[in-house]
Amino acid sequence: MNQDLVIQRFTPPLKLAHFRLAAFDMDSTLISIECIDEIAAVAGKKEEVAAITEAAMRGEITDFKESLRRRLALLKGVPASALDQVLRERLQFNPGARELCAALKAAGLKLVLVSGGFTFFTRFVAAELGMDYVRSNELEIIDGKLTGALMMQAWGDICDGEEKRRMLVQCAAEIGATPEQCIAVGDGANDLPMMGAAGLSVAFHAKPKVREQAMVAINAGGLEQLLQVLR
């Protein structure tokens, strides 16, 4: 049995034409890094921040908002130039990210980027991949330094698992689609609510808890393998 691509609770292939929207997590899903950990690395605080990230992704810290606030507090005073450095030197797309997004767009799907990460990075990723909708967190920067806080946006200040699910459902409704006609792709515990709402849930190199609950688990290789399941 191929453990690189695990399919459960349905019989492939599914009709690509059935789906109208695909929602993606960003950090460790579309891109290979956790941006907050890399900002911390530039600031010399990676170990402290990464330990909280890892526990949150595994679902050990169940309140994502709390875990994010704890990590952000450690970044207070970090120069905003650290963001540029991470984008320039560390951000890389995961294998198959461009191919999968291009194929889904060509098939007429709308693409949604929903991230517990930051607008500084989601803007770049969304532009590169042709995303139609984006929701993520806005870092507060005063006098060229991170304050350790987030800016309030029209929908709230922290995009957590529940907000990701709400965004998927809202974007689907906007284009006249049902959640059943949506694909959700993620890797961490805070992706489970949107994956649970979608007609097709996909775990990419994910934490065990997420792999178990997903209909498709891509455990090795690139994101483009999802296209083997969709015809």
Side-chain angles (χ1 to χ4, degrees), residues 124-142:
F124 171 79
V125 169
E128 287 285 309
L129 298 178
M131 295 284 166
D132 299 287
Y133 303 94
V134 186
R135 179 151 297 177
S136 59
N137 306 316
E138 180 89 53
L139 289 164
E140 184 179 62
I141 297 169
I142 295 176

Side-chain angles (χ1 to χ4, degrees), residues 86-231:
V86 170
L87 184 58
R88 200 173 56 244
E89 297 173 7
R90 305 184 183 214
L91 189 146
Q92 290 184 328
F93 286 91
N94 271 327
R98 291 179 188 276
E99 292 87 334
L100 176 59
C101 288
L104 295 177
K105 277 188 85 71
L109 278 77
K110 294 289 184 192
L111 302 185
V112 184
L113 182 57
V114 273
S115 173
F118 310 117
T119 55
F120 184 88
F121 303 102
T122 55
R123 272 196 290 266
F124 171 79
V125 169
E128 287 285 309
L129 298 178
M131 295 284 166
D132 299 287
Y133 303 94
V134 186
R135 179 151 297 177
S136 59
N137 306 316
E138 180 89 53
L139 289 164
E140 184 179 62
I141 297 169
I142 295 176
D143 297 332
K145 291 194 170 90
L146 304 189
T147 66
L150 294 170
M151 305 282 286
M152 185 57 79
Q153 299 181 69
W155 49 267
D157 63 339
I158 295 184
C159 182
D160 62 353
E162 184 47 40
E163 188 57 43
K164 288 184 176 194
R165 187 195 67 79
R166 197 161 35 238
M167 184 68 172
L168 175 130
V169 172
Q170 182 187 318
C171 292
E174 214 167 285
I175 62 167
T178 64
E180 189 55 39
Q181 292 172 299
C182 298
I183 300 168
V185 187
D187 73 299
N190 69 329
D191 297 315
L192 287 171
M194 73 167 178
M195 289 168 69
L200 178 62
S201 55
V202 183
F204 181 70
H205 295 209
K207 300 294 178 249
K209 189 175 171 182
V210 182
R211 288 203 302 266
E212 283 157 24
Q213 294 184 41
M215 294 163 68
V216 178
I218 301 171
N219 299 324
L223 278 159
E224 80 291 342
Q225 291 177 90
L226 179 59
L227 298 170
Q228 296 174 29
V229 177
L230 300 166
R231 291 276 186 275

Side-chain angles (χ1 to χ4, degrees), residues 36 40 43 45 48-49 52 65-78 118 139-140 146-150 158:
I36 194 164
K45 295 184 176 180
E48 299 159 79
V49 171
I52 303 172
K65 290 187 175 183
E66 175 58 29
S67 87
L68 184 59
R69 288 193 180 104
R70 274 168 58 187
R71 286 175 284 169
L72 284 169
L74 292 167
L75 299 181
K76 186 177 180 181
V78 171
F118 310 117
L139 289 164
E140 184 179 62
L146 304 189
T147 66
L150 294 170
I158 295 184

